[in-house]
């Protein structure tokens, strides 16, 4: 990919260029924004977006690299400072847009190298510019461990000096002009004592690169002066103003060859303890069942299932919006998709909601071959902050293109004047080593209050966006690592043990024990980080897992994880479990309530205990299943005001009379829960673990 590098002169933009080259991209141009000449601020500009200290030496920096340099002036200011950026003519971001447009027109670039590590403010704005210009942002340093990153920069022979200090413990007289190697022990000590970001992500210091392996010549500082910007007694702010610099030739052996860390995006599975024995890998044999009043797979998808009521905190679930499509009819798949979304919009409108209020979508497809058509319609329905999304192919009836169910949220401002938590959206579109970029119309995660609703994760290698090799074991580990990284990025110190409900979709029954084993292994790793006593009962603490077999996943993946997590104290969560027998079946129920009492998850499994092929009556087991669910809801603490919102029933498609299942569950839900009846979502699947024939996950909020 032909890439333009956004440069400030600092270490981060330089090392990201090295990462781009290591990834096989070609840096063809440099771009830099500097203070406008009429501002009177020739060195340090008070900008949220740009490092300007050292900008006088940028021309020399470009000469050292031997690349064309495009420069523009920062004419705007920080006008639009919200979490989401929309174009504003007076904003300094528009200066970047004009510069990037010029470079694209002149150089034909396809990507932009960005040295962002932690700043969502900068990332969101660069990504907005790239989106408008159809450029791919490349931010390989994003959310990388800063201590490791600093060591890598030093070991990769980046010769950068400190040119600005602005933190307690950094002394202009002692530290300005020092190299990264000289500063490393000091920065590590300040990080330990005072929480200083070792890479300067809190604005503690800024750097200028004098040499790196990409440079054809090196920059030499002949003279500079210290400018005191703020003589604070505890944290003085000062910077170096270069007076004279020159270029020197480098020895040939130090040019063009360099080492960056080997890519850690991929994962290799060699730990025997995470793998089940070969016997455990054998899927259970399907038991032939004959139901009374059998009408195989006659579920009437023309009927829209009942939506849930609205919870006290403004949540509502909308279920089974269906796109009907038969190729023989005079209607395209695109038409069917538009009709389905029109139905969803009407449903939302009737409840005083809009598409922007949706925070989580489940998209169940008849065939992944139709994905591009459906996605082309889907992308037009949402704005810059789309909901998190789970997308799988499963065994839907003929004539059904896809089914959607979704969770929407909106506070009732008229009835509640309390100040609420803002909806936080993570929609990272930059290629990195962190986790897969969100290159489609979905966000990696959305946080409302203390709950994180995540998108489904498959095992894409972040830096290449290709599926990892090595089979289901590698895929399971890598995709679950993505989940953990998204959780941590959304809320510091949040990890897998904060998950309260998880769904794992696999495409082969033999993958079920693999998924379970890797889930347990990752939770054990969480234990090593936290107090081991906290995890005496990992199921109770960590939430509920459902593993189901579907026919196909995006990108031909073998496994996809979807989780909802809560930023709470897992020690204080409440757990309920019970079992009962019901006419040849066993019912197992578990519930986990968050320590904040803001939400809960309930799991109910119906499994066969008889291998008889005689006629079985489904009515009794369905009655008991819903009764057990009702008891679990009643066991929630008095402090918990969460309402049942979704009742997702994964069921073996070849076993059930789906219409009987639908009618029975709906009847008993309405009987037992009345006005608190959740949205019923029926999901036919290829297989379930062990002898399970139904696995229900219910979300309460």
């Amino acid at each position: 990919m032909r890439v333009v590098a956004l440069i400030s002169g600092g270490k981060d933009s330089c090392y990201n260029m090295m990462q781009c080259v290591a990834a096989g991209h070609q840096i063809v141009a440099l771009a830099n924004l500097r203070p406008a000449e009429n501002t009177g601020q020739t060195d340090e500009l008070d900008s949220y977006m740009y490092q300007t200290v050292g900008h006088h030496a940028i021309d020399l920096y470009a000469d050292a690299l031997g690349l064309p340099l495009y420069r523009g002036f920062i004419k705007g200011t920080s006008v639009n400072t919200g979490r989401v950026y929309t174009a504003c003519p007076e904003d300094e971001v528009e200066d970047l847009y004009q510069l990037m447009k010029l470079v694209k027109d002149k150089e034909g670039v396809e990507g932009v190298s960005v040295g962002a590590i932690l700043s969502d403010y900068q990332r969101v704005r660069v990504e907005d510019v790239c989106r408008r210009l159809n450029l791919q942002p490349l931010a390989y340093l994003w959310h990388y461990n800063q201590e490791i990153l600093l060591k890598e920069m030093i070991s990769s022979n980046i010769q950068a000096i400190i040119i600005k200090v602005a933190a307690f413990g950094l002394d202009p007289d002692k530290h300005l002009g020092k190299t990264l190697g000289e500063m490393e022990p000091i920065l590590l000590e300040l990080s330990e004592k005072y929480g200083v970001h070792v890479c300067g992500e809190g604005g503690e210091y800024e750097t200028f690169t004098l040499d790196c392996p990409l440079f054809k010549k090196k920059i030499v500082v002949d003279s500079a002066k210290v400018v005191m910007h703020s003589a604070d007694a505890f944290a003085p702010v000062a910077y170096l103003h270069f007076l004279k610099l020159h270029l020197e030739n480098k020895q040939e052996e130090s040019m063009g060859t360099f080492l960056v860390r080997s890519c850690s995006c991929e994962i290799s599975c060699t730990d025997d303890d995470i793998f089940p024995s070969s016997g455990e890998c054998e899927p259970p044999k399907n038991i032939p069942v004959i139901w009374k009043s059998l009408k195989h797979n006659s579920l009437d998808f023309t009927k829209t299932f009942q939506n849930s009521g609205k919870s006290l905190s403004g949540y509502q679930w909308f279920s089974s919006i269906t796109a009907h499509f038969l190729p023989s009819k005079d209607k395209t798949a695109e038409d069917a998709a538009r009709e389905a979304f029109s139905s969803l919009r009407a449903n939302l409108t009737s409840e005083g909601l809009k598409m922007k209020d949706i925070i989580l979508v489940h998209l169940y497809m008849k065939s992944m071959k139709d994905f591009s058509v459906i996605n082309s319609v889907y992308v037009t329905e949402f704005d810059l902050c789309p909901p998190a999304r789970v997308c799988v192919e499963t065994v839907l009836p003929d004539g059904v293109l896809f089914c959607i169910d979704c969770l929407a949220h909106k506070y009732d401002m008229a009835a509640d004047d309390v100040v609420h938590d803002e909806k936080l959206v993570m929609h990272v579109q930059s290629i990195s080593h962190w986790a897969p970029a969100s290159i489609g119309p979905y966000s990696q995660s959305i946080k409302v209050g203390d709950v994180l609703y995540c998108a489904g994760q498959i095992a894409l290698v972040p830096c290449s966006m290709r599926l990892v090799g090595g089979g289901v074991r590698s895929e399971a580990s890598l995709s679950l690592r993505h989940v953990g990284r998204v959780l941590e990025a959304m809320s510091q110190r949040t990890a897998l043990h904060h998950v309260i409900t998880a769904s794992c979709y696999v495409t082969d029954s033999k993958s079920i024990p693999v998924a379970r084993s890797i889930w347990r292994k990752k939770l054990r790793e969480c234990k090593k980080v936290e107090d081991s006593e906290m995890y005496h009962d990992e199921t109770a603490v960590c939430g509920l897992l459902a593993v189901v077999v579907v026919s196909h996943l995006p990108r031909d993946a073998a496994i996809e994880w979807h989780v909802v997590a809560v930023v709470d104290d897992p020690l204080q969560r409440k757990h309920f479990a019970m079992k009962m027998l019901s006419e040849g079946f066993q019912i197992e129920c578990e519930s986990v309530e968050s320590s904040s009492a803001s939400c809960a998850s309930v799991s109910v499994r119906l499994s066969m205990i008889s291998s008889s092929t005689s006629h079985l009556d489904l009515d009794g087991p369905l009655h008991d299943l819903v009764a057990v669910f009702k008891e679990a809801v009643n066991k929630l603490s008095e402090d918990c005001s969460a309402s049942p919102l979704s009742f997702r029933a994964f069921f073996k498609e070849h076993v059930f009379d789906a219409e009987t299942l639908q009618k029975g569950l709906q009847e008993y839900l309405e009987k037992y829960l009345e006005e608190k009846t959740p949205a019923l979502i029926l999901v036919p699947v290829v297989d379930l673990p062990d002898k399970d024939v139904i696995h229900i996950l219910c979300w309460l909020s």
Side-chain angles (χ1 to χ4, degrees), residues 291-310:
W291 300 107
K292 293 180 180 177
S293 311
L294 180 65
K295 297 176 184 174
H296 182 67
N297 203 21
S298 56
L299 177 58
D300 186 358
F301 274 81
T302 62
K303 297 176 182 175
T304 300
F305 297 152
Q306 178 181 325
N307 303 324
S308 75
K310 190 173 290 186

Side-chain angles (χ1 to χ4, degrees), residues 489-535:
M490 279 297 284
S491 185
Q492 197 173 13
R493 290 189 295 276
T494 303
L496 288 179
H497 59 271
H498 288 97
V499 170
I500 196 165
T501 184
S503 300
C504 179
Y505 299 91
V506 296
T507 56
D508 190 324
S509 299
K510 293 180 180 179
S511 301
I512 292 173
V514 175
R516 286 170 157 177
S517 296
I518 290 178
W519 174 255
R520 288 193 294 265
K521 175 181 183 286
K522 294 296 183 181
L523 292 180
R524 285 199 301 270
E525 290 174 357
C526 285
K527 295 181 196 178
K528 295 175 184 177
V529 177
E530 302 286 342
D531 180 3
S532 60
E533 292 181 6
M534 180 175 173
Y535 301 99

